[in-house]
Amino acid sequence: MKDMKIICRCQDVTEQEIVDAIRKYNLTSVDEVKRLTRAGMGHCQGKTCRKLVEQILFRENGFLSDEDTWSISRPPVKSIPVKFLAESEEPFDAVVARGRGGQHG
Amino acid sequence: MADFPKTADCVIIGGGIIGASIAYELSKKNIKNIVVVEKNTVGSGSTGRCGGGIRAQWSTPENVKLAMASVKRFRELEEELASVTEYEEGGYLILAHSDTEMNQFRENVLMQKKHGLEVEILTAEETKKIVPLINTEKITGATWCSTDGSINPFLINFAYMKNAMDKGVSLFTRTEVLSIKTGDSKITGVSTTRGEISSPVVVNAAGGYAGFVGSTAGLNLPLTPHRHEILATEQVNRFFRNMIMSFEYNIYFRQVKDGGIVGGQTNPGEKPGTEVNSGIAFLKEMSVKLNHFIPALGNVKILRQWAGLYCMSPDAQPILGEISGLAGYFHACGFSGHGLMLAPRVSVLMANTITDPSFSDPDLERLGIDRFEKGIVAHEKSVV
Ligand SMILES: Cc1cc2nc3c(=O)[nH]c(=O)nc-3n(C[C@H](O)[C@H](O)[C@H](O)COP(=O)(O)OP(=O)(O)OC[C@H]3O[C@@H](n4cnc5c(N)ncnc54)[C@H](O)[C@@H]3O)c2cc1C
């Protein structure tokens, strides 16, 4: 059975799962914990759990990695419905007519 | 972390899927003292930013064969690496939007079948049977391969690295290779932000930075990094398991195991560079396309967007193996947006050629860097 102290409510990730991942893979940053456990990947995008994960990392490792002291969350800041964004743009044919990028076709 | 080494038998630059898988396959061979040097952390580069798709439906025989052999390896890896990887054969649906495109696809399918791939051509109605919520208005048909699929890129990257370390490989993260040291037409080691390591063998697996890393050894590798943006939506009940792709309309997306939609495009007009910032234009253009192909996604919310690098080679195929005139230098780079899915096979080929000078394999040879002098064999067209 899972232990009951939930750190990331959106993705249902417990403290024990985070601690296990940190110890198993010698993790040192919030981003690594996020990639391995999904803590911070849910609806609130880490707004509540990010600081908690930092605290757990600090407790486990005795230091906080540089990137955690200034790292930013991913955009968009608030989740947006696909339709809302689609309606603020030109229609499908106009969008796909913009072509592609880079050297590859 | 262990003391920083002064010598190694092999230094691998990069802790992405390519560096990690080569480290693991090498650790199974008779070579000791393998050191992986990673500028940031494991999976922080393209691997941790990719779409996780795996497909053998390519337009060049090399890519088809490497991908098919990789699928065989993917099937064994969960057990061999004793790790959950979320590997799943959910299939790839590649949409065609005109008869001309359908005819091109028919040619690809003939070639793919010749190599033993089970791939079918579907009508628009058959396509709808696979993804009932798809809008077939602009769809002529599709190709479908049910053994294509997906994997969780973080989990497989860490699984390879962890197993390599259990077999004695040392990993140094937050350590950047500043230059590759050479002398007398051969490799002598690397200089890093934590000191020098002398080594007779260096593997350049630096992903989007492979061109730069190679240049420190005086090599002029034909590689260009390009930013590629990608997004993820909130989780909704799973209604399809496969990847959906359209070359014509420049989009790929899939629904991952936990229900989120993950997808991207090639941004119009994107210039070469190593920036990985995010922009609103991408969000809007993707929303228009998602809303078109699956109208039911209209009310689903986008949670997150990010970007990573495609390391493009001139023919959109990887560049593998050694280079003449610089003994001990090996590279596995230029994956052009499909390195995750080729890693299981590429790493086996690389470990073989690094440890055995007489090893030969037709794919490895055709994907050597000398192909650009000899004349490019084929150009991979099936890239988004
Ligand atoms: C948006 C997007 C979607 C994609 N979708 C797919 C997909 O669905 N399927 C697929 O197969 N592929 C996909 N790809 C491509 C795939 O991500 C790459 O081909 C693959 O991850 C390459 O692995 P790598 O190990 O070569 O590179 P990376 O994962 O980038 O690893 C290279 C590592 O080298 C490190 N490094 C660089 N320079 C130095 C230095 N000087 N010293 C030390 N370390 C250094 C970097 O920090 C990095 O961690 C996608 C890519 C992107 C950007």
Side-chain angles (χ1 to χ4, degrees):
Chain A
M1 213 180 83
K2 277 171 100 169
D3 68 317
M4 297 311 289
K5 206 194 235 172
I6 291 175
I7 299 293
C8 169
R9 281 182 295 171
C10 308
Q11 295 278 325
D12 191 22
V13 185
T14 67
E15 178 169 36
Q16 194 60 48
E17 286 169 323
I18 292 171
V19 168
D20 288 349
I22 292 172
R23 291 185 185 163
K24 182 167 178 200
Y25 297 107
N26 301 320
L27 306 185
T28 51
S29 63
V30 172
D31 275 351
E32 288 168 283
V33 170
K34 171 172 138 185
R35 292 188 175 114
L36 272 162
T37 67
R38 304 195 67 79
M41 283 193 175
H43 250 274
C44 87
Q45 288 293 294
K47 287 187 190 73
T48 50
C49 68
R50 184 174 193 97
K51 287 287 156 200
L52 296 172
V53 173
E54 279 179 10
Q55 284 171 23
I56 298 171
L57 276 164
F58 187 77
R59 201 180 66 206
E60 286 295 313
N61 296 331
F63 67 91
L64 205 55
S65 79
D66 283 355
E67 54 259 47
D68 285 344
T69 53
W70 49 261
S71 69
I72 46 161
S73 331
R74 302 240 190 254
V77 176
K78 196 175 175 302
S79 60
I80 324 170
V82 166
K83 212 157 65 188
F84 178 85
L85 285 159
E87 279 163 4
S88 69
E89 190 31 288
E90 291 186 292
F92 182 82
D93 288 335
V95 165
V96 294
R98 288 174 195 168
R100 303 172 65 177
Q103 54 178 193
H104 41 294
Chain B
M1 215 183 272
D3 283 347
F4 198 69
K6 293 210 161 38
T7 62
D9 293 332
C10 172
V11 172
I12 297 170
I13 307 170
I17 189 71
I18 299 298
S21 60
I22 293 175
Y24 171 71
E25 296 296 346
L26 271 180
S27 73
K28 299 202 291 194
K29 305 243 171 213
N30 202 5
I31 169 166
K32 300 272 162 305
N33 205 357
I34 303 163
V35 175
V36 178
V37 182
E38 163 55 53
K39 170 167 82 158
N40 298 313
T41 55
V42 172
S44 60
S46 306
T47 305
R49 298 158 180 278
C50 84
I54 297 169
R55 69 170 148 127
Q57 295 188 68
W58 289 100
S59 77
T60 70
E62 288 83 4
N63 276 339
V64 172
K65 285 195 287 175
L66 288 178
M68 282 180 70
S70 291
V71 165
K72 254 174 105 180
R73 281 292 284 148
F74 276 124
R75 289 177 180 158
E76 311 162 343
L77 282 174
E78 281 215 336
E79 203 180 312
E80 185 175 323
L81 304 177
S83 307
V84 174
T85 65
E86 294 175 11
Y87 175 67
E88 179 180 38
E89 292 181 12
Y92 253 68
L93 197 56
I94 302 187
L95 306 176
H97 307 285
S98 64
D99 293 336
T100 324
E101 200 176 21
M102 204 68 242
N103 286 335
Q104 275 169 15
F105 285 6
R106 274 181 223 284
E107 270 176 47
N108 292 346
V109 165
L110 275 180
M111 182 274 289
Q112 291 157 358
K113 281 196 161 153
K114 215 179 84 200
H115 292 288
L117 189 69
E118 280 181 34
V119 43
E120 297 164 61
I121 293 176
L122 306 183
T123 62
E125 295 77 59
E126 288 164 337
T127 303
K128 210 170 166 65
K129 283 210 183 95
I130 291 176
V131 184
L133 290 178
I134 204 165
N135 165 16
T136 52
E137 195 184 307
K138 288 182 190 289
I139 298 175
T140 315
T143 62
W144 167 252
C145 173
S146 64
T147 53
D148 286 346
S150 57
I151 198 161
N152 179 319
F154 317 119
L155 297 181
I156 184 71
N157 197 162
F158 272 95
Y160 264 128
M161 195 58 96
K162 172 93 175 76
N163 278 266
M165 290 167 78
D166 289 348
K167 288 180 181 295
V169 169
S170 340
L171 164 70
F172 293 89
T173 55
R174 296 198 176 82
T175 311
E176 183 175 351
V177 169
L178 301 171
S179 67
I180 297 177
K181 299 277 166 204
T182 61
D184 253 357
S185 312
K186 63 173 201 277
I187 290 294
T188 58
V190 292
S191 155
T192 81
T193 44
R194 295 178 62 189
E196 296 205 357
I197 311 174
S198 69
S199 172
V201 175
V202 169
V203 181
N204 179 356
Y209 294 85
F212 171 73
V213 165
S215 74
T216 69
L219 302 174
N220 185 11
L221 305 177
L223 301 170
T224 13
H226 279 262
R227 177 183 73 135
H228 273 250
E229 292 190 77
I230 177 165
L231 60 76
T233 72
E234 65 183 327
Q235 296 157 13
V236 289
N237 286 344
R238 206 157 185 221
F239 63 96
F240 68 109
R241 290 172 22 157
N242 55 292
M243 183 76 87
I244 298 176
M245 276 193 113
S246 162
F247 303 127
E248 172 74 19
Y249 294 129
N250 176 21
I251 185 173
Y252 67 89
F253 61 103
R254 69 180 175 106
Q255 189 173 25
V256 299
K257 264 192 170 165
D258 73 9
I261 308 286
V262 171
Q265 67 171 12
T266 299
N267 285 341
E270 187 75 36
K271 301 273 189 306
T274 50
E275 280 295 324
V276 286
N277 49 12
S278 300
I280 183 81
F282 164 80
L283 268 197
K284 289 188 180 178
E285 289 174 0
M286 277 296 291
S287 298
V288 169
K289 295 185 211 176
L290 288 173
N291 202 37
H292 168 86
F293 282 115
I294 313 259
L297 286 179
N299 293 319
V300 173
K301 287 177 178 159
I302 294 171
L303 287 189
R304 174 168 74 251
Q305 67 177 128
W306 65 97
L309 300 174
Y310 276 21
C311 184
M312 297 306 295
S313 74
D315 58 1
Q317 301 196 87
I319 301 177
L320 308 177
E322 51 189 4
I323 200 161
S324 65
L326 190 56
Y329 171 90
F330 293 88
H331 50 195
C333 49
F335 284 91
S336 309
H338 39 282
L340 180 81
M341 64 180 87
L342 302 184
R345 177 63 182 164
V346 162
S347 55
V348 169
L349 293 176
M350 290 297 297
N352 285 340
T353 188
I354 291 167
T355 51
D356 175 7
S358 65
F359 176 77
S360 100
D361 173 273
D363 297 324
L364 190 65
E365 258 123 66
R366 282 166 70 95
L367 293 173
I369 191 155
D370 53 358
R371 72 178 182 269
F372 303 112
E373 282 156 26
K374 292 187 200 150
I376 291 174
V377 269
H379 189 282
E380 178 55 65
K381 293 186 283 290
S382 305
V383 180
V384 170

